[in-house]
Amino acid sequence: MNNKPVAVITGASRGIGRAITISLASEGFDIAAIARSVDSEGMEILAKEVAEKKSEFFPIGLDIACTACQAEVVTNILDRYGRIDLLVNNAGVAPLKRNDLLEMTEESYERVMNINLKGPVFFAQEIAKEMIWLKQQIPDYKPIIVFISSISSTRSSINRAEYCISKAGLSMASAVFADRLAGDDIRVYEVRPGIVKTDMTAKVKDTYDKLIAGGIVPQKRWGFPEDVGKAVASLARGDWDFSTGSIFDISGGLNIPRL
Ligand code: NAP
């Protein structure tokens, strides 16, 4: 059994997941880092950064949409570490092409829903069952599940509807897991980023630069992956022990309904 707590982060290779992983290594977690492939520059760099924090690094290749592949991954993590203290369901994608809602294809809808919603829901289910069992085995074990949703959970974008629908679903997933697992002493939180500078937003950087300059974000700047990393670290430390089911907006005030 690992002495240190263990965090599983999906979509760890880049962007927000990478920042979350480094924050959690700084908080003393050993890491199981999931991305589609372990053979990427992102995963290699992350391995070094986690090692610098004196944490263990276990890279895992998994397409999160492959629900049939998830049980084996969880078994491998438990074989290596003997415990999972924190799951951060972060992996997610935008539609490959921004299309008007009336032109949205079934193929794009299924791709986005499978990666952003179905995959994380069943991964959380798989790990939650292990957490319930581990509760009986490890003294002072305080498991946590975090869902990284989006401002798009509640805001309409008519040219990427499938993304908004998937994130609205993920928001409810966080609520129902929080409700179901509260009695098992497992905390569940939703973290809702706004506009964050990553590969995901690189294609639309100019559009967002203009919107931010025009004041759409009250705090008048891009979000950075580290903003989200710090918030997840705070949840992981146990600072929000009596707040299961809560939503944490990391969006510089973009969440404020304004006239
Ligand atoms: P990103 O830079 O595009 O990184 C996406 C990450 O997800 C990568 O690590 C990628 O792994 C992984 N991933 C993609 N598809 C996967 C799959 N099928 N199975 C496993 N892993 C997969 O994205 P990001 O901006 O950091 O976004 C991270 C999360 O935050 C997403 O859920 C996103 O919806 C959410 N979010 C982002 C923003 C924003 O403005 N950026 C705002 C709100 C919410 P590979 O390297 O292997 O491809």
Side-chain angles (χ1 to χ4, degrees):
M1 173 77 64
N2 217 53
N3 286 331
K4 290 168 74 174
V6 172
V8 178
I9 305 102
T10 69
S13 57
R14 298 184 274 129
I16 291 172
R18 176 180 167 278
I20 291 171
T21 303
I22 294 166
S23 284
L24 293 174
S26 302
E27 289 294 325
F29 283 78
D30 283 334
I31 301 295
I34 296 177
R36 283 178 302 176
S37 165
V38 292
D39 299 320
S40 68
E41 202 187 337
M43 284 297 244
E44 273 174 35
I45 295 168
L46 188 63
K48 287 186 194 135
E49 286 169 319
V50 169
E52 279 166 19
K53 309 279 181 199
K54 311 280 178 241
S55 291
E56 288 288 315
F57 185 74
F58 181 24
I60 299 161
L62 169 71
D63 177 350
I64 197 66
C66 178
T67 50
C69 313
Q70 293 176 353
E72 190 186 341
V73 165
V74 174
T75 302
N76 290 343
I77 297 168
L78 291 173
D79 284 350
R80 163 128 178 193
Y81 288 129
R83 62 193 292 169
I84 295 170
D85 299 72
L86 171 60
L87 165 64
V88 185
N89 259 316
N90 164 76
V93 290
L96 291 174
K97 195 166 168 233
R98 289 186 173 217
N99 262 339
D100 180 78
L101 170 61
L102 301 186
E103 307 300 328
M104 181 177 73
T105 64
E106 210 171 318
E107 191 185 4
S108 177
Y109 178 91
E110 280 181 0
R111 170 179 171 270
V112 171
M113 293 297 277
N114 286 343
I115 296 171
N116 290 5
L117 184 57
K118 188 175 107 177
V121 163
F122 284 96
F123 201 47
Q125 184 195 60
E126 190 77 37
I127 289 183
K129 287 191 234 174
E130 298 295 345
M131 286 173 161
I132 290 169
W133 182 81
L134 286 164
K135 270 240 65 93
Q136 314 306 316
Q137 323 299 320
I138 309 173
D140 299 326
Y141 177 67
K142 295 205 167 238
I144 293 173
I145 297 175
V146 177
F147 290 92
I148 306 295
S149 66
S150 167
I151 186 80
S152 300
S153 300
T154 58
R155 299 296 163 94
S156 158
S157 296
I158 56 173
N159 61 357
R160 50 188 184 111
E162 58 274 62
Y163 183 79
C164 300
I165 295 167
S166 72
K167 292 297 183 177
L170 199 63
S171 184
M172 178 50 76
S174 180
V176 292
F177 272 101
D179 188 9
R180 172 61 184 82
L181 297 175
D184 295 294
D185 208 23
I186 299 172
R187 312 285 178 273
V188 181
Y189 308 107
E190 176 186 345
V191 171
R192 200 177 266 186
I195 303 170
V196 184
K197 210 167 225 177
T198 68
D199 293 347
M200 184 178 276
T201 46
K203 275 190 216 160
V204 281
K205 179 183 171 299
D206 292 349
T207 308
Y208 283 139
D209 277 344
K210 283 186 197 126
L211 286 170
I212 292 167
I216 197 173
V217 177
Q219 285 187 244
K220 292 194 187 308
R221 70 161 171 88
W222 278 84
F224 297 109
E226 292 70 23
D227 293 315
V228 185
K230 279 190 266 185
V232 173
S234 167
L235 298 173
R237 280 196 300 270
D239 296 349
W240 301 90
D241 192 50
F242 198 51
S243 302
T244 199
S246 291
I247 301 164
F248 294 85
D249 282 289
I250 317 294
S251 62
L254 185 57
N255 53 303
I256 303 166
R258 291 193 294 170
L259 194 59

